[in-house]
Amino acid sequence: AQIRRIEARRKAMRRDVEETVESEMGAVLKLEGFASWPGLLFPPVDTRFTQSPGVLVLSPRDRIFRQETIVLRPGLDTLEKELLEERVLGEEDLSALVVEISGIATYPSIVSERGDLRRALNAVAHEWLHHWFFFKPLGRGFWDSPEMTTLNETAATIGGLELGALAHTAITGGPGDPGSDPEEAAGSFDLGGAIRETRLRAEELLAEGEIEEAEAYMEERRLLMVDQGFRIRKINQAFFAFRQSYAADPASISPIDGQLRELRQRSASLEDFLKAVAGFGSYQKFLEHLESGR
C-alpha cells in the first residue's frame, strides 16, 4: 500500500518535474550559446520520465562486435531477459545481452525514472545532444562506422555531464562538479579497473580462438565483482560490444575518449568543443583536425 501511494505521488508530480527540467536545461543551453537567432533553441528540450525500454545487444561469439541492437518493451523481468538471451544463443549461436538503458533519443526523449536528479539531468542533456547532432554532419554519420557511433556517444557523454552539472546547480544551488558514479566510488575495489582487465584478457582469448575459455573467464570475473557488492547480471561478448560505443566506459578499449578530451581541453568553451565535434562527418576528418592542432 505504501509503494502504491508513492507511485501515485510520483505520477501526479511527473509532468511538473518534466517541465521544470526542460525549462532549466533549455536556459542552460541558451546561456552556453546553443540558441539560434533570435534566442530560440532548436530543437527544444522535450523529455519524458518513464520506464525506459531495454535493448537486446547481439555480438558474434568469436569476437567483440555489436552486430545488432534491438529495442525491447520496458518492464522485462530477469527470467524473461535470460530466456531471451539463451534462445538467441541456442538458435543463432550469438552472444546476447538485454541491457537497461538510462535514455533513448526519440523525440521527445525517454529518460529512466529511476535514479537521482543528477543522473536524470545528465541523461536529458545526453539525449538532447543526440537531437542536436542529428542536424549536423556528426549525427548524420552515426551509423556510418563503429568509430562514428562511438564519436557520437562519447561526445554526448562528455557534453551531457557538463550540461547536467550546470543544470543541477541552476535547480538546487549545489555544486556543479559532474563528480563520479557513486557505485564505482564506493569501497576500495576498483570496479573500472577490473572490468577493463577482463575486457583485455577476453580479447586475448578470443583472438586465440578460445571461445569457451573466454566465456568461462568472463563469468569467473563477474562472480568476483558480485562478491565485491556490484550487481552485474552477465558479462559476455555482447556486454563489451554494447559498452564499446561509450569510450569513457572502462569496458571500452576505444581511444576516442582520450582524443575527445584532448579536443575539449584545447577548446575555449563547451560550446566551441561541441560545435567543432558536430561538424565532423567522418572519423578520419576528426583525426585530421586533432592532428592539425597539435
Side-chain angles (χ1 to χ4, degrees), residues 240-274:
F240 289 115
F242 177 74
R243 298 176 72 161
Q244 174 67 18
S245 297
Y246 302 84
D249 192 298
S252 175
I253 57 174
S254 170
I256 289 176
D257 180 56
Q259 293 165 347
L260 280 171
R261 292 187 187 279
E262 177 185 338
L263 181 60
R264 176 66 185 99
Q265 290 177 351
R266 285 172 14 195
S267 303
S269 66
L270 179 61
E271 174 195 5
D272 289 346
F273 165 69
L274 289 172

Side-chain angles (χ1 to χ4, degrees), residues 95-234:
S95 174
L97 183 68
V98 177
V99 180
E100 292 186 3
I101 55 177
S102 59
I104 188 169
T106 53
Y107 195 82
S109 62
I110 295 174
V111 171
S112 174
E113 61 191 5
R114 300 171 64 182
D116 59 15
L117 177 63
R118 174 63 62 81
R119 290 192 183 193
L121 291 169
N122 292 347
V124 169
H126 181 110
E127 304 309 337
W128 181 86
L129 284 170
H130 281 309
H131 293 159
W132 186 69
F133 289 153
F134 178 79
F135 299 96
K136 313 291 183 184
L138 180 70
R140 290 195 292 271
F142 187 99
W143 296 112
D144 287 355
S145 68
E147 291 79 14
M148 282 298 289
T149 301
T150 302
L151 195 62
N152 271 269
E153 292 291 5
T154 309
T157 296
I158 293 172
L161 287 173
E162 291 197 41
L163 292 167
L166 293 170
H168 188 270
T169 297
I171 292 173
T172 68
D177 183 6
S180 60
D181 189 325
E183 290 185 358
E184 295 202 17
S188 58
F189 183 76
D190 181 9
L191 177 64
I195 288 175
R196 187 167 184 82
E197 181 183 338
T198 305
R199 169 68 192 266
L200 294 173
R201 179 57 182 155
E203 288 273 5
E204 291 176 356
L205 289 169
L206 291 173
E208 295 167 1
E210 304 289 350
I211 296 174
E212 293 183 357
E213 288 78 358
E215 291 171 340
Y217 169 73
M218 288 186 279
E219 173 61 11
E220 176 187 321
R221 295 286 290 176
R222 184 191 72 84
L223 292 174
L224 169 66
M225 297 172 207
V226 169
D227 286 342
Q228 294 295 324
F230 298 97
R231 295 186 301 167
I232 300 176
R233 186 174 61 83
K234 183 173 291 186

